[in-house]
Amino acid sequence: MAFFLMNAHNIISSCCGGAGNVFAKIFSEEDDVPAAPASNQPGPVGLVGGFTAREAKYEDVQWSKLPAKARRAASTLGYDEASWNGNEWRCDEAWGDLSAEQRGAAEALGWTERAWEDQYEECEWKDLPANVKRACRRLGYDASTWDETEEDDDKYPSTMEKEWSDFTKEEQRCMNVLGYTQQMWED
């Protein structure tokens, strides 16, 4: 198949023009093999518990392993290597008080306004993003327990009574997906 595509590409390019041609783009070598999504890349910024590092706000990724874009975004929010690796929360402003540049940086790190402001606590189950629902399920929530905890603190799953150090790596990443950081949880 690749041989056929390359021959078709060469024929079309020779009669219809090069890279700017629509047909040339359709038959380009780059499109022969779809690129693997970034979330499936091995290493410290890959999947943990089925969630990407970005979905988990890069909270469990050391500064030296952060992608360049994430490191720049973290710097915009006031982090340096020591504060990032030390799990120090550096930006205490409300989402609405962040500058456009800071909001963009937070978004580049995977934050949404809901995660930033209230860790989705004020959000009904039906309104949660799919990845947040998955994290909630792994922490012991379902639609009824999530919605009931808004009115009754006794409805929290037992996992929510743990200390941060007692969470498994997967549970910690699920907490990060919700917008909790180690420092927030321990304070």
Side-chain angles (χ1 to χ4, degrees):
M1 180 71 166
F3 177 75
F4 170 76
L5 291 175
M6 287 306 299
N7 282 335
H9 168 69
N10 291 338
I11 292 168
I12 291 171
S13 292
S14 66
C15 72
C16 302
N21 183 296
V22 170
F23 293 107
K25 288 180 183 177
I26 292 171
F27 294 107
S28 73
E29 290 179 53
E30 296 171 321
D31 295 333
D32 283 352
V33 181
S39 62
N40 289 335
Q41 291 178 355
V45 295
L47 294 173
V48 173
F51 298 99
T52 65
R54 186 174 184 280
E55 288 175 317
K57 291 54 168 179
Y58 294 98
E59 286 293 320
D60 57 356
V61 179
Q62 292 292 305
W63 182 267
S64 63
K65 303 293 183 191
L66 285 175
K69 181 178 180 180
R71 196 175 306 137
R72 283 190 303 275
S75 294
T76 299
L77 293 172
Y79 287 97
D80 59 19
E81 185 170 6
S83 59
W84 182 268
N85 290 342
N87 294 316
E88 296 174 26
W89 186 246
R90 303 293 291 175
C91 197
D92 291 330
E93 289 86 13
W95 185 266
D97 294 336
L98 296 175
S99 69
E101 182 182 23
Q102 289 172 315
R103 277 193 305 276
E107 289 169 349
L109 292 171
W111 288 94
T112 64
E113 182 176 3
R114 296 307 296 248
W116 185 275
E117 287 296 321
D118 62 18
Q119 295 72 47
Y120 296 96
E121 289 179 3
E122 302 296 321
C123 201
E124 291 183 20
W125 181 266
K126 67 180 177 61
D127 298 324
L128 293 174
N131 66 320
V132 174
K133 284 181 183 176
R134 275 194 349 264
C136 288
R137 283 189 194 99
R138 292 189 182 160
L139 292 168
Y141 286 102
D142 59 26
S144 64
T145 55
W146 179 265
D147 288 339
E148 288 174 11
T149 56
E150 289 181 20
E151 292 95 37
D152 187 355
D153 287 344
D154 293 333
K155 300 291 182 177
Y156 285 100
S158 60
T159 53
M160 301 307 282
E161 297 172 12
K162 291 182 176 183
E163 299 291 327
W164 190 267
S165 61
D166 294 332
F167 286 128
T168 65
K169 290 286 184 202
E170 181 179 357
E171 289 170 335
Q172 287 176 354
R173 190 157 262 204
C174 289
M175 294 296 287
N176 293 150
V177 169
L178 289 175
Y180 288 101
T181 65
Q182 180 178 351
Q183 182 182 0
M184 284 177 183
W185 192 253
E186 291 175 347
D187 284 345

